[in-house]
Amino acid sequence: QVQLVESGGGLVQPGESLRLSCVAAGNIRDIETMGWYRQAPGSQREWITSISSRGTATYRDSVKGRFTISMPGAQKQVYLQMNNLTPEDTATYFCHAATPTSFGEHKHYWGQGTQVNVAS
């Protein structure tokens, strides 16, 4: 079974909103950060936002003021509230989680993606 599961994608018109959800499987432990990436057709995957287990969030400049990441408290689920969507936001959105390992490294987990399409 996929260890990160996204949901909430869909087709919306410009200016509308979507809320994406991501849930981590129970066998993922000691999550340090969770976040979101996206990939448009023909483009490389880009980082959007991440939030630490302490609640500190960072954002890509292009989504600041429009997107909000939240981690309600379980630290195994994360949401992405996307407001004022534009066609440039059209992409497959991937959930990401990182856990610490020895030697100061991290293990990375990825979801399979949820499609967001913004069009008239």
Side-chain angles (χ1 to χ4, degrees), residues 1-7 20-24 28 35-39 45 91-97 109-116:
Q1 187 175 349
V2 177
Q3 294 179 293
L4 296 177
V5 180
E6 308 101 333
S7 63
L20 306 183
S21 300
C22 175
V23 179
I28 300 179
W36 294 90
Y37 291 68
R38 67 186 181 188
Q39 186 169 17
R45 185 178 301 181
T92 302
Y93 284 70
F94 297 90
C95 185
H96 167 262
Y109 300 86
W110 296 92
Q112 291 187 327
T114 185
Q115 181 66 36
V116 172

Side-chain angles (χ1 to χ4, degrees), residues 48-66:
I48 303 171
T49 180
S50 60
I51 187 167
S52 74
S53 61
R54 297 181 181 272
T56 301
T58 55
Y59 298 89
R60 185 181 186 90
D61 286 344
S62 62
V63 307
K64 286 181 179 178
R66 299 189 299 119

